[in-house]
Amino acid sequence: MTNNPAGIATPTQPTAPTHHLELRLSPTPRGARLARALCAERLHAWGIPYGTEAHDAIVLLVAELSANAVRHGRVPGRDFHLRLTVPAQPVAAVRIEVTDTRGERTPEPAQHLPGADRTGGRGLLLVAALADRWGWGPRPCGSPRKVVWAECDRRNPGEQSVLGQM
C-alpha cells in the first residue's frame, strides 16, 4: 500500500509477475504422479531449471504432499486440488498448497524415522526437512476439506542440486 498526497492508502501493483498453477487431480497414485510431473515442467518453464536445488526440493514437496492427499485424504469420487505459486522475484517464497477432502484427518509427522522395513511414515519428515515453513488448516470456505501447505524460499537458481548428488 502507498499513500497518495491526500493520505488515502492505495494498493500497489506487484513489480514482477507471479506464476500460478492450479490443478484438480484424481485421488489416485496416477494423479499424484501427474501433479509431480506437471509441476516439474512448469517450474522449469518459469525459470527454476531442472537439476537445481530449488527445483528438486519443490518437486519433492509437491510429490510428498500429493501422495499424502491420495493416501490419507482420499474420499472416493472427490478430487484433490494442487496450487503452486511462484513469485518472479528471486527473494520471494514458492508456495505449494494441496487440498484434500478429509478435513478430520490431521497431518501428524512421525516422531522419529520409521524402521527400514516400513514403506510409509517419512513423507511429513521430508516436508519438514525440505520446506522452510509448512503447516495445515481447514479450507477457508468451510467445506470438510483441509489445506496442507509448504513454502520454500528461493535459492540461487544456478545452484546445482544436492539431492542428485546423494
Side-chain angles (χ1 to χ4, degrees):
M1 302 290 263
T2 60
N3 287 324
N4 62 20
I8 301 170
T10 57
T12 57
Q13 292 295 322
T15 57
T18 299
H19 303 291
H20 295 281
L21 175 66
E22 293 195 39
L23 303 168
R24 255 181 64 187
L25 299 152
S26 65
T28 62
R30 183 174 187 250
R33 285 190 307 270
L34 186 58
R36 182 182 189 275
L38 291 172
C39 284
E41 186 277 326
R42 287 285 85 205
L43 287 168
H44 182 74
W46 292 337
I48 303 176
Y50 289 109
T52 60
E53 183 175 343
H55 185 278
D56 291 349
I58 295 163
V59 169
L60 187 52
L61 286 166
V62 167
E64 289 301 328
L65 294 178
S66 297
N68 282 350
V70 168
R71 185 169 188 174
H72 303 293
R74 182 176 189 263
V75 171
R78 293 188 182 170
D79 296 337
F80 75 94
H81 185 260
L82 169 73
R83 177 182 294 159
L84 177 66
T85 305
V86 179
Q89 299 170 344
V91 295
V94 173
R95 186 170 174 94
I96 303 146
E97 297 177 5
V98 175
T99 303
D100 68 40
T101 54
R102 297 289 301 267
E104 78 282 1
R105 294 191 73 179
T106 61
E108 296 178 24
Q111 297 302 312
H112 52 80
L113 192 60
D117 58 331
R118 299 237 356 244
T119 59
R122 293 172 181 82
L124 289 178
L125 292 173
L126 280 170
V127 169
L130 290 172
D132 293 294
R133 291 162 299 284
W134 78 277
W136 69 276
R139 187 167 181 221
C141 69
S143 67
R145 296 175 180 248
K146 70 176 172 298
V147 178
V148 183
W149 58 269
E151 290 181 343
C152 199
D153 293 337
R154 295 283 295 272
R155 291 160 179 82
N156 180 357
E159 200 172 88
Q160 286 300 310
S161 171
V162 294
L163 297 175
Q165 299 169 5
M166 292 181 171

